[in-house]
Amino acid sequence: NLQSFLRKLYLMVFRPGEVICHSGDVSDVLYILVKGTVDVIAWRASSTGKGRGRKSGVVVAAVNPTRYVGEYGVFADEPRAATLVAQTQVFCWVSSKEAFRFELNRLPKVARTDITKSLEANMTKIYKVRPVLLASTPLFLNWDLKVLEDLVTKLEPFVFAEKQVMVKQGDLGTCLFIIARGKCESVIRTGTEEHRTFLTSGEQLGQRGCLFVEPQHATVRTVTTVQAWRLQKSVLMDYMLQRPDWFLAAKQRLNRELEKSLPKPSIQHIMNCGLFPQELSQRLGERIYETCLQPRVVEGTAPLIMVGEEFRGLYLIIGGTCTFEGKQYGAGDTLGMEQVNRHEAFWRESVLANTRLDVWFLNLNTLHGIMQKPGKLGLNNPQVLKLQQVLNEWKENAR
């Protein structure tokens, strides 16, 4: 491996005062200093632009042979943390990022483990978690800062390689991760569909697996090398259960956060719920899709609907299961059509979630209001007029 790596190196020479790399630049090469001295400069916050001179920064270190320079940024896919300036004439052997990482991947597992441990040790010095920032996240909102200061001491540094799975959809949660550096992709699979989002520095993952008795709702895989802080579930729950009000409030906030990212049911799911005619105009369908649907997340064993609750619309289930009138409902099913047909004003039984339940509520009062505006939305179709009649009958008889 070493001989292969050496064959890919090329020589670069820098004059005294010449900038080798700027702070914030893409880390695309590794330098091996073999002759000369290099100043490491940290810029003052008030200085901007790449034309900054030495007077705008502070020399925090001087590097002499034989030293590696820039290996951390290349390994972790991070921008340059400082500016390097040749103090004297400097001779460097240079490796491209691609060549360096190719050889890294060929190293024995023990060697890669040692590099990972070195990165984790650096995290405790460079990427400390600030309690005040945790207090602004949904999980820890309004927590006492003294409690968070103590909790931060329980965080463990952890480094994930590129394309490594951090959490897997369907697995039980064992810990919370707070991303310090890097980028990862979250993929939620619902049937044949996939919904993708990206997570970066400061974001958390695994919260629901810690607070709820449910499997992970997404698979999260690293896009780059990711440095994260890990908090074991048992430790987090010890803090949560000291203040049950914090615990319950955190669960409610996480449900609201999940609702914001909940994928909408397909148009086909809505059309097949039993309420709409197949001849529904495209404009009306789009209007219903945009204005009548509201997301709802219910944790396992909690009620979706309470007996005696006012009947206001249909529930389109996209994930999880629930039981109603002795029948189990799951993804693709709809609750409430029998109530529409019976013109019921209230639910006669409670509906309890068997597992975490992801649903979209179709508000019939909003839909009824839309149906009172004919013409532009294509409401003159005979089949659509029949839908209007069904809603009018339900509205009138359910009072």
Side-chain angles (χ1 to χ4, degrees):
N1 283 357
L2 183 58
Q3 290 297 326
S4 173
F5 177 65
L6 291 176
R7 285 194 294 269
K8 296 174 183 176
L9 297 177
Y10 56 93
L11 184 65
M12 290 189 70
V13 180
F14 297 93
R15 299 185 301 274
E18 187 176 356
V19 175
I20 298 173
C21 64
H22 287 279
S23 174
D25 281 354
V26 175
S27 299
D28 52 1
V29 295
L30 159 72
Y31 299 98
I32 304 173
L33 180 62
V34 293
K35 185 177 181 181
T37 301
V38 173
D39 286 335
V40 181
I41 300 177
W43 299 108
R44 297 189 179 95
S46 59
S47 61
T48 58
K50 288 193 174 182
R52 299 174 294 191
R54 285 176 177 270
K55 293 182 180 179
S56 300
V58 177
V59 178
V60 295
V63 181
N64 294 297
T66 302
R67 289 284 300 276
Y68 297 100
V69 180
E71 76 281 6
Y72 182 76
V74 169
F75 180 84
D77 274 324
E78 292 199 11
R80 301 294 187 193
T83 295
L84 303 180
V85 179
Q87 184 187 113
T88 64
Q89 188 177 43
V90 168
F91 292 81
C92 291
W93 286 105
V94 180
S95 168
S96 68
K97 179 168 110 174
E98 292 74 17
F100 178 65
R101 299 192 70 165
F102 175 78
E103 298 300 337
L104 275 179
N105 290 331
R106 298 176 62 195
L107 289 175
K109 185 176 180 180
V110 173
R112 294 199 301 271
T113 301
D114 289 341
I115 294 173
T116 297
K117 288 180 179 178
S118 175
L119 286 174
E120 292 172 351
N122 283 332
M123 281 181 61
T124 60
K125 303 174 186 176
I126 304 173
Y127 304 127
K128 295 182 179 179
V129 178
R130 296 173 58 195
V132 68
L133 293 181
L134 284 183
S136 65
T137 64
L139 186 59
F140 301 107
L141 189 66
N142 298 326
W143 277 38
D144 186 280
L145 286 180
K146 290 184 179 179
V147 175
L148 289 175
E149 287 172 359
D150 185 60
L151 181 142
V152 164
T153 64
K154 307 297 192 298
L155 295 174
E156 305 167 324
F158 205 88
V159 175
F160 292 91
E162 185 179 341
K163 299 180 180 179
Q164 185 175 351
V165 173
M166 298 179 71
V167 299
K168 186 176 180 180
Q169 185 173 350
D171 286 354
L172 293 177
T174 59
C175 52
L176 165 73
F177 290 105
I178 304 171
I179 301 173
R181 284 292 185 274
K183 181 180 181 180
C184 49
E185 181 184 42
S186 174
V187 180
I188 301 175
R189 290 183 173 86
T190 55
T192 58
E193 297 183 357
E194 289 188 351
H195 305 273
R196 299 173 181 270
T197 55
F198 291 95
L199 304 173
T200 55
S201 300
E203 297 190 78
Q204 301 172 3
L205 57 119
Q207 309 100 305
R208 295 193 64 87
C210 290
L211 268 61
F212 297 90
V213 184
E214 63 181 45
Q216 302 285 6
H217 74 284
T219 294
V220 180
R221 181 179 283 102
T222 60
V223 177
T224 66
T225 299
V226 169
Q227 296 167 271
W229 292 100
R230 180 177 62 181
L231 183 66
Q232 295 293 341
K233 175 179 179 178
S234 57
V235 176
L236 175 60
M237 290 306 300
D238 284 344
Y239 282 90
M240 285 284 183
L241 296 179
Q242 290 175 21
R243 287 290 301 267
D245 54 330
W246 290 356
F247 177 49
L248 294 175
K251 292 176 75 173
Q252 291 175 353
R253 288 193 297 269
L254 289 182
N255 279 340
R256 301 296 83 80
E257 285 295 311
L258 182 58
E259 287 173 357
K260 294 177 184 178
S261 61
L262 207 62
K264 276 190 173 183
S266 65
I267 290 287
Q268 195 62 38
H269 186 173
I270 297 174
M271 293 301 100
N272 291 340
C273 74
L275 182 65
F276 301 103
Q278 294 299 320
E279 295 81 1
L280 193 70
S281 74
Q282 182 177 350
R283 293 188 65 184
L284 177 56
E286 291 173 351
R287 181 71 178 276
I288 293 170
Y289 201 72
E290 292 170 1
T291 61
C292 297
L293 294 173
Q294 301 163 2
R296 180 101 180 266
V297 173
V298 181
E299 65 177 288
T301 72
L304 171 66
I305 302 162
M306 294 296 292
V307 62
E309 185 177 323
E310 181 184 0
F311 179 80
R312 297 183 298 110
L314 309 179
Y315 291 90
L316 287 74
I317 303 172
I318 63 169
T321 62
C322 62
T323 302
F324 176 57
E325 295 183 339
K327 180 182 176 182
Q328 181 167 292
Y329 292 80
D333 293 331
T334 301
L335 283 172
M337 268 311 299
E338 291 184 2
Q339 283 66 30
V340 173
N341 295 331
R342 295 196 297 245
H343 305 145
E344 293 182 352
F346 302 94
W347 289 89
R348 297 190 297 181
E349 286 189 25
S350 296
V351 179
L352 299 178
N354 301 326
T355 62
R356 192 192 84 202
L357 197 61
D358 300 338
V359 302
W360 283 86
F361 175 66
L362 177 60
N363 193 315
L364 292 187
N365 288 314
T366 304
L367 178 59
H368 182 263
I370 292 174
M371 300 299 291
Q372 303 311 304
K373 302 174 182 178
K376 292 184 178 180
L377 294 175
L379 301 184
N380 295 324
N381 182 296
Q383 295 296 324
V384 177
L385 292 175
K386 184 178 180 181
L387 167 62
Q388 192 176 28
Q389 181 183 353
V390 170
L391 290 174
N392 286 337
E393 290 177 358
W394 164 75
K395 190 77 174 176
E396 186 65 31
N397 294 309
R399 289 176 180 173

